[in-house]
Amino acid sequence: MGNLSGGHIAEFVLVGFPTSPPLQLLLFVLFLTIYLLILLENTLFISTIWLTPSLHRPMYFFLAHLSFLELWYINVTVPRLLGAFLTQDCRVSYVGCMTQLYFFIALACTECVLLAVMAYDRYLAICEPLRYPSLMPSGLASCLAASSWGSGFFSSMMKLLFISRLSYCGPNIINHFFCDISPLLNLTCSDKEQAELVDFLLALVMILLPLLAVVSSYTAIIAAIVRIPTAQGRCKAFSTCACHLAVVVIYYSSTLFTYARPRAMYTFNHSKVISVLYTVIVPFLNPAIYCLRNREVKDALRKLVLGRCHYSRNVPD
């Protein structure tokens, strides 16, 4: 039942991935390596955009925000995942669980809105290329990025306000490697209908509305690309949004599969495996997708790395 404080659970037990010790050690090493690579990838990506004046444009400004968000995101979730491979019953305090849940929801909602903002940016770049500098000035880009962060953290605060008011009397075992909404709601011993309603309504606003904006933007983009007379022009126009489209498909497919399922499926361990997809694999793939598909970023990164190496070789002892 766990320790009780004032009649409420004082800590939760997170059930990770129970398996044989050799396999757990192998998975720990694997995901630790991926975690370090994510840190390196996103740090290099942000540094490249920050230190390259030619990349100081709205599209790369939003990409830098996305990479910074994912750096924060993996530092909220991946340490819990690594701990799940080291021990089968990782304990977390009630306050620690709610804090981790708050940042997890806030960053996930922020990413949904930010991807929609990036889709709108690509719509303006392709459908209104001549008017793009006036339609997307740097001031508007900053306001859209700030609105993405603000809406995500405000939505998370509203969700947590209702979830934290619930009573948790026991059991205190969460079949997950981090504190997520559904496992917590399944453990409450008080009426959770109001919290579920708020969670559902905010999910509609923070997931489906940005998804609708993304679909609308890409519908207009595809229609504009089809009207381009030459095949070379169509390929060039599509290449400007192919990276973002790939990231959107990966992120929303894993998110919707996790949160848009019948409640009965929450009891299966498959939810933990899918959670690994959007907490680890998506942040790992995003910088690689943008770098490999974007010549400007690759050239800037190459100049940055080679320039630093060349400078270090020429510094006298």
Side-chain angles (χ1 to χ4, degrees):
M1 295 292 292
N3 296 326
L4 298 179
S5 176
H8 297 280
I9 288 176
E11 65 178 13
F12 294 99
V13 177
L14 299 173
V15 179
F17 297 88
T19 183
S20 61
L23 182 58
Q24 281 190 314
L25 180 60
L26 177 62
L27 291 174
F28 173 80
V29 173
L30 172 64
F31 283 98
L32 177 62
T33 303
I34 295 176
Y35 173 63
L36 296 176
L37 287 175
I38 293 173
L39 292 177
L40 177 63
E41 284 179 342
N42 285 279
T43 302
L44 277 177
F45 194 68
I46 295 172
S47 301
T48 301
I49 294 174
W50 180 263
L51 297 174
T52 307
S54 62
L55 299 182
H56 293 177
R57 305 201 300 271
M59 181 179 78
Y60 299 107
F61 175 75
F62 293 134
L63 286 177
H65 274 269
L66 182 63
S67 287
F68 177 74
L69 184 149
E70 289 178 342
L71 280 175
W72 195 351
Y73 190 77
I74 63 169
N75 282 301
V76 170
T77 57
V78 176
R80 295 290 184 190
L81 175 63
L82 295 176
F85 291 125
L86 292 179
T87 178
Q88 295 183 8
D89 56 350
C90 181
R91 296 178 179 271
V92 58
S93 67
Y94 175 84
V95 174
C97 185
M98 292 299 164
T99 302
Q100 185 263 318
L101 178 64
Y102 171 74
F103 285 108
F104 170 75
I105 297 173
L107 296 173
C109 292
T110 300
E111 185 162 1
C112 287
V113 180
L114 189 59
L115 289 175
V117 169
M118 294 170 68
Y120 175 68
D121 174 73
R122 293 300 82 207
Y123 160 75
L124 293 180
I126 293 175
C127 299
E128 301 286 347
L130 299 179
R131 301 172 57 200
Y132 177 76
S134 61
L135 292 175
M136 185 59 73
S138 58
L140 178 60
S142 299
C143 289
L144 290 174
S147 299
S148 301
W149 287 93
S151 61
F153 278 79
F154 177 76
S155 173
S156 179
M157 182 180 65
M158 295 303 297
K159 287 191 178 187
L160 199 70
L161 180 64
F162 286 88
I163 294 174
S164 61
R165 291 167 58 187
L166 300 175
S167 298
Y168 299 91
C169 311
N172 66 331
I173 298 175
I174 299 178
N175 188 20
H176 215 300
F177 61 88
F178 66 93
C179 294
D180 203 355
I181 297 176
S182 299
L184 276 174
L185 291 180
N186 288 336
L187 292 182
T188 183
C189 55
S190 58
D191 186 10
K192 59 183 177 181
E193 289 186 2
Q194 192 176 32
E196 287 182 331
L197 178 61
V198 171
D199 178 51
F200 174 74
L201 293 177
L202 288 176
L204 286 178
V205 175
M206 301 305 298
I207 296 178
L208 292 186
L209 284 184
L211 179 60
L212 181 61
V214 170
V215 172
S216 301
S217 297
Y218 275 102
T219 300
I221 288 172
I222 293 172
I225 291 176
V226 170
R227 291 196 297 269
I228 298 176
T230 63
Q232 183 179 2
R234 289 193 293 270
C235 291
K236 184 178 180 180
F238 183 75
S239 65
T240 63
C241 60
C243 300
H244 177 258
L245 184 60
V247 171
V248 166
V249 170
I250 294 173
Y251 180 79
Y252 273 105
S253 59
S254 58
T255 302
L256 291 175
F257 184 83
T258 302
Y259 293 104
R261 296 176 297 161
R263 189 182 305 174
M265 291 190 67
Y266 288 134
T267 58
F268 291 97
N269 288 328
H270 297 87
S271 60
K272 291 190 288 187
V273 178
I274 299 299
S275 296
V276 173
L277 176 63
Y278 66 81
T279 56
V280 180
I281 305 302
V282 172
F284 176 70
L285 291 178
N286 284 358
I289 291 173
Y290 281 115
C291 288
L292 293 176
R293 296 281 303 177
N294 193 303
R295 184 179 297 276
E296 282 186 302
V297 176
K298 286 192 294 185
D299 291 342
L301 180 60
R302 188 181 301 110
K303 291 178 182 178
L304 179 65
V305 174
L306 294 179
R308 296 289 178 183
C309 293
H310 179 74
Y311 174 77
S312 63
R313 286 197 300 268
N314 287 288
V315 173
D317 295 333

